[in-house]
Amino acid sequence: AIANGAIDATAIADNAIDYATLAADAKLGVKYGTTATKSNALDNGNVNLFDITGGHVAIHAIIGEVTTVCQAAAAATKLLFTSTATTDSSDLCATLDLNAYKDGALVGVDGTPATAMVGQTACACNRPIVIDTGTIKANNAGAANTGVVQWTVYYTPLTAGAAIAAA
């Protein structure tokens, strides 16, 4: 099993995570269909999307679907994670400008924090994101925008009792 605190930002950045061990430990309850969903308007600043409770989770995909057209204005948007234990924040991706994105457009995080969100018609998560308890937030660096994005996160709890729910 994974010891509490064994997975941190340094381990993730150094690629020091043994994915075979994660896969074995995920037998605690592999639930690839486990999801949480939340909609948010592209307001300026941070908006809490999801709360992670009970321990470590492996996020397989975070997908946003535009449900209300984004106006033609700057909307540099990214996702970030704030740890409950340390109160530190880390980017889950770099910004993507959602300027004029249409209904049905898809955006997502590819698992590499330095890479911008990807999307328009398709998106992919290339590697899991492992995080502990805290909050996933959307951040829009532009002015408030008329756009609305419905976010869905697909995850596996790595600690018995770990879960993600809409904030």
Side-chain angles (χ1 to χ4, degrees):
I2 298 171
N4 189 18
I7 299 173
D8 59 18
T10 302
I12 293 168
D14 293 341
N15 290 318
I17 296 172
D18 176 2
Y19 288 102
T21 301
L22 281 180
D25 286 345
K27 291 180 183 172
L28 289 169
V30 175
K31 300 176 183 174
Y32 284 100
T34 301
T35 63
T37 302
K38 167 106 182 224
S39 291
N40 86 289
L42 295 176
D43 294 329
N44 180 265
N46 292 331
V47 175
N48 294 349
L49 296 178
F50 301 106
D51 290 325
I52 299 91
T53 57
H56 293 96
V57 296
I59 296 174
H60 305 289
I62 302 175
I63 300 169
E65 179 179 0
V66 175
T67 57
T68 300
V69 173
C70 300
Q71 72 192 57
T77 303
K78 67 180 178 179
L79 299 180
L80 56 102
F81 170 74
T82 301
S83 166
T84 299
T86 66
T87 67
D88 293 335
S89 291
S90 300
D91 290 347
L92 297 178
C93 62
T95 61
L96 174 67
D97 191 352
L98 300 182
N99 180 344
Y101 270 45
K102 296 179 173 56
D103 280 350
L106 298 174
V107 295
V109 175
D110 77 356
T112 304
T115 304
M117 264 194 294
V118 294
Q120 268 291 13
T121 57
C123 57
C125 187
N126 298 327
R127 64 187 217 179
I129 300 168
V130 179
I131 54 180
D132 199 357
T133 59
T135 304
I136 295 173
K137 302 175 182 186
N139 174 274
N140 177 19
N145 190 302
T146 59
V148 175
V149 178
Q150 178 174 307
W151 298 97
T152 303
V153 59
Y154 296 87
Y155 70 97
T156 300
L158 298 177
T159 305
I164 299 178

